[in-house]
Amino acid sequence: MFLHSRTPQLPSREQALQGRPERMFTVPDRHTVLGTPLLGPYPGHLEVADFGMGCFWGAERKFWQLPVGVWTTLVGYQGGYTENPMYEEVCSGLTGHTEAVRVVYDPQLISYDRLLQTFWESHNPTQGFRQGNDVGTQYRSAIYTHTPAQAAAAEASRTAYQQVLTRSRYGTISTEILPAEGREFYPAEGTTSSTSTRIRRGTAGSVGPACPARLVWRRPMADGSAPTAQQAFTSLMRARIAPGLRALGFKGSGRTYELPHLETWALIGFQKAAHSTAEHIEFTVNVTVADKRGWAQARRREPHLPARPSPNTVYGAAAWHSRIGRLLPANRDTWWTISATTDPEPVARGVISAVTEYALPAIRERRHA
């Protein structure tokens, strides 16, 4: 809505279109790509995140393309006044809504911080009522939060990402961060089923300029000090690697994970290099497989052995052990490095890929040896 001005302006409640008490269309039952239900109620272990970042068709794709943790996505309208709006009404600027993407995700597999990273990197949040060539209040950048924790994370990420943009000579972030409560999400017509058609219309995908750098942010400590490599390593394990391992069937936490089996111990462990420092931590992955009955016999001979083997200890003939690098085609030690300024996503992808492609086959082979 331009309201007698060439600059888009949000309408007031009185100026907005009235809308209607019910939707004028039927939302498809399932996501075209993911195959999951679109509308709630959702399973209790899942959480909801809402983002506005320009044309919603390309924005939605950014989230369902994430490798793990996103259960379903749908596009809609949010943040305005008109009930159950239609696409043409939202495009008129007379509803007050922005085009939004709802992301339903499993917090055990992907963190809200990771969704925020995708949000910031996938659009230009400094353009106000536009994204690239798309102009209008419906294209404004927005985050609608569902919990106090989401609100705190969103605010912290906006502050941190503003520093990234400022260093690269971008403007001030105009993203609105508001509670989702009282700002109902209205699904759009043709939700996900016509995504490919909308993409061909030319506004989906990368809208606006690419981000100047990948978003790598860490919340400051309570005393205001900068985070350390150890804190980055802990965050990497908890927010990215552990969820990825659980998706592969592993159980555990910290630095040790077990692939449950009735007859064998199958474990992977994370070992830090002795020369790691406060600025950089190098780590590798160890793999151990042991027959449970054979391990019990070894314990009777050597009572000092633990009830369960540790993947970070070599036990000789009692348990098979290998560093993951020795399983890779190059057959040499492989170490990953993490620091407070390292982008954790490629590190996590590398670890999970190595476990999937090399550790799991080795474990299966040893179980049948």
Side-chain angles (χ1 to χ4, degrees):
M1 181 177 184
F2 288 82
L3 296 176
H4 311 295
S5 169
R6 301 192 67 178
T7 302
Q9 298 179 39
L10 282 170
S12 66
R13 183 179 295 274
E14 293 72 24
Q15 293 168 327
L17 297 174
Q18 184 175 357
R20 52 200 62 84
E22 296 182 358
R23 280 195 297 269
M24 298 287 289
F25 53 87
T26 300
V27 176
D29 290 333
R30 292 186 174 271
H31 195 287
T32 303
V33 178
L34 301 177
T36 47
L38 287 172
L39 299 179
Y42 304 111
H45 68 288
L46 302 178
E47 296 183 7
V48 174
D50 293 330
F51 303 103
M53 44 198 290
C55 177
F56 50 25
W57 300 110
E60 180 197 20
R61 183 179 57 191
K62 297 290 186 179
F63 291 101
W64 57 250
Q65 285 179 333
L66 290 172
V68 66
V70 173
W71 194 76
T72 200
T73 61
L74 65 160
V75 298
Y77 315 112
Q78 196 171 12
Y81 305 111
T82 304
E83 294 183 84
N84 296 297
M86 301 294 289
Y87 182 72
E88 291 75 12
E89 294 172 337
V90 173
C91 289
S92 76
L94 291 170
T95 67
H97 291 296
T98 188
E99 295 192 12
V101 178
R102 171 154 288 183
V103 182
V104 183
Y105 67 101
D106 186 341
Q108 295 299 313
L109 299 179
I110 190 170
S111 67
Y112 186 66
D113 287 349
R114 180 65 183 87
L115 299 181
L116 286 170
Q117 181 177 355
T118 297
F119 166 78
W120 292 117
E121 292 178 350
S122 299
H123 76 303
N124 184 342
T126 70
Q127 293 189 316
F129 294 146
R130 62 173 291 191
Q131 275 297 301
N133 293 326
D134 293 331
V135 179
T137 58
Q138 72 271 26
Y139 298 117
R140 68 186 184 274
S141 177
I143 303 173
Y144 300 113
T145 61
H146 290 261
T147 65
Q150 283 190 1
E155 293 284 357
S157 68
R158 179 171 61 182
T159 299
Y161 198 53
Q162 181 63 70
Q163 297 173 3
V164 175
L165 295 178
T166 300
R167 287 196 298 270
S168 298
R169 301 191 179 187
Y170 277 68
T172 300
I173 290 175
S174 57
T175 304
E176 61 182 25
I177 300 176
L178 298 168
E181 184 177 1
R183 295 173 176 84
E184 185 171 349
F185 179 95
Y186 296 102
E189 52 269 53
T191 298
T192 70
S193 62
S194 57
T195 298
S196 59
T197 301
R198 299 282 179 153
I199 288 174
R200 286 195 294 270
R201 290 171 66 173
T203 58
S206 178
V207 289
C211 287
R214 289 189 61 82
L215 173 58
V216 182
W217 66 277
R218 303 284 183 272
R219 296 189 188 117
M221 304 304 293
D223 60 2
S225 61
T228 64
Q230 178 58 49
Q231 288 152 359
F233 176 70
T234 301
S235 175
L236 171 75
M237 293 298 301
R238 288 178 179 173
R240 291 174 170 80
I241 291 179
L245 292 176
R246 293 186 186 113
L248 296 175
F250 285 90
K251 308 292 183 183
S253 61
R255 300 187 200 175
T256 301
Y257 295 83
E258 176 188 348
L259 194 62
H261 192 269
L262 289 176
E263 299 179 354
T264 58
W265 295 111
L267 306 113
I268 62 172
F270 292 81
Q271 176 187 346
K272 293 195 296 185
H275 57 265
S276 296
T277 68
E279 289 75 33
H280 296 86
I281 287 178
E282 289 189 25
F283 69 95
T284 191
V285 180
N286 297 316
V287 187
T288 290
V289 180
D291 177 77
K292 287 186 176 180
R293 283 189 290 184
W295 183 255
Q297 294 171 359
R299 290 190 67 213
R300 286 194 288 271
R301 295 191 302 269
E302 303 178 60
H304 66 279
L305 291 176
R308 183 185 75 173
S310 167
N312 295 327
T313 302
V314 178
Y315 297 103
W320 175 82
H321 175 276
S322 177
R323 285 201 176 147
I324 200 166
R326 296 297 177 182
L327 305 176
L328 272 60
N331 188 28
R332 62 172 182 265
D333 277 353
T334 298
W335 296 81
W336 289 270
T337 302
I338 188 75
S339 71
T341 58
T342 301
D343 180 359
E345 194 62 27
V347 179
R349 283 200 304 267
V351 172
I352 298 301
S353 175
V355 171
T356 302
E357 297 178 26
Y358 301 103
L360 282 177
I363 288 172
R364 296 188 188 104
E365 180 181 350
R366 286 289 162 179
R367 279 177 170 172
H368 295 93

